[in-house]
Amino acid sequence: MNPIYERSGTVTVRPARPGDVEAVRAIRNDAIEHSTALWTSTPQSPAEATAWLAAHLARGSAFVAEADGEVAGFAVYGPWRELDGYRFTVEDSIYVRAERHGLGVGSALLAALVAAAREAGHHAMIAGIEAENTASVRLHRRFGFEHAGTVREVGVKFGRRLDLTLMRLPLDRDGNTPGGRTD
């Protein structure tokens, strides 16, 4: 599957571009303000959003979903941990505009993200999901992610403690690192 342009119903997924930054920032800031998907209460500034998206664009790891001529959601993957021993493992993030939930936008984005991570030679993708976000857990399960554990009360938002569910998807077919190398 080529993630460059995938269609899912009326949703088109394409690589993100620098001009998408404000639409992506608006979706991200809405999630910060109204959900437990991002465990911060500090909205992203225009400069922070530009730098954040630029890092993903440089990796080729940012996608947007368009529906009816507007950005309906976005997805990125990035390093799961910064140490070099984790370099073949990435973590996904998917955000969909509230009025577009349940319309296939998240599925289209996750399909493109998994395909791109596989193409880039990554070994595993991790999803860190607030444990009560059952829609995201179901979405990841449909794509073959397995439950790897739940860490209790490791976050706080809206005055309550949050649990983090970790899910894992193997990306390479043979279970080896790209090229058979572990260095």
Side-chain angles (χ1 to χ4, degrees):
M1 171 170 41
N2 183 348
I4 300 304
Y5 286 95
E6 296 297 328
R7 286 198 169 269
S8 175
T10 61
V11 176
T12 300
V13 175
R14 63 166 173 78
R17 302 185 283 252
D20 295 319
V21 69
E22 278 307 311
V24 168
R25 184 173 83 91
I27 295 167
R28 189 175 165 93
N29 283 346
D30 185 71
I32 289 169
E33 185 178 344
H34 297 106
S35 79
T36 56
L38 280 160
W39 294 2
T40 182
S41 57
T42 306
Q44 197 176 44
S45 73
E48 290 166 334
T50 298
W52 177 85
L53 185 58
H56 287 289
L57 293 176
R59 270 194 298 276
S61 63
F63 298 86
V64 296
E66 292 181 333
D68 301 324
E70 68 179 8
V71 174
F74 73 92
V76 297
Y77 70 77
W80 184 50
R81 297 285 185 266
E82 294 299 324
L83 298 175
D84 67 348
Y86 297 106
R87 69 189 171 279
F88 297 115
T89 302
V90 294
E91 182 174 11
D92 76 304
S93 296
I94 302 166
Y95 297 92
V96 176
R97 288 177 47 160
E99 65 273 13
R100 296 289 184 169
H101 288 182
L103 300 177
V105 176
S107 292
L109 284 165
L110 186 52
L113 211 57
V114 168
R118 279 191 172 123
E119 181 70 23
H122 294 292
H123 172 70
M125 183 175 279
I126 303 294
I129 305 167
E130 194 275 320
E132 292 183 11
N133 187 345
T134 56
S136 186
V137 170
R138 278 193 315 271
L139 170 65
H140 285 82
R141 190 175 296 130
R142 281 197 318 269
F143 277 80
F145 282 74
E146 61 192 12
H147 183 261
T150 298
V151 187
R152 303 283 178 214
E153 299 183 351
V154 294
V156 175
K157 190 161 183 189
F158 303 134
R160 57 184 247 257
R161 299 212 180 268
L162 304 173
D163 299 342
L164 181 66
T165 292
L166 296 173
M167 299 183 80
R168 177 188 174 272
L169 177 70
L171 294 172
D172 54 8
R173 307 276 189 239
D174 59 10
N176 294 318
T177 56
R181 298 179 52 199
T182 58
D183 58 341

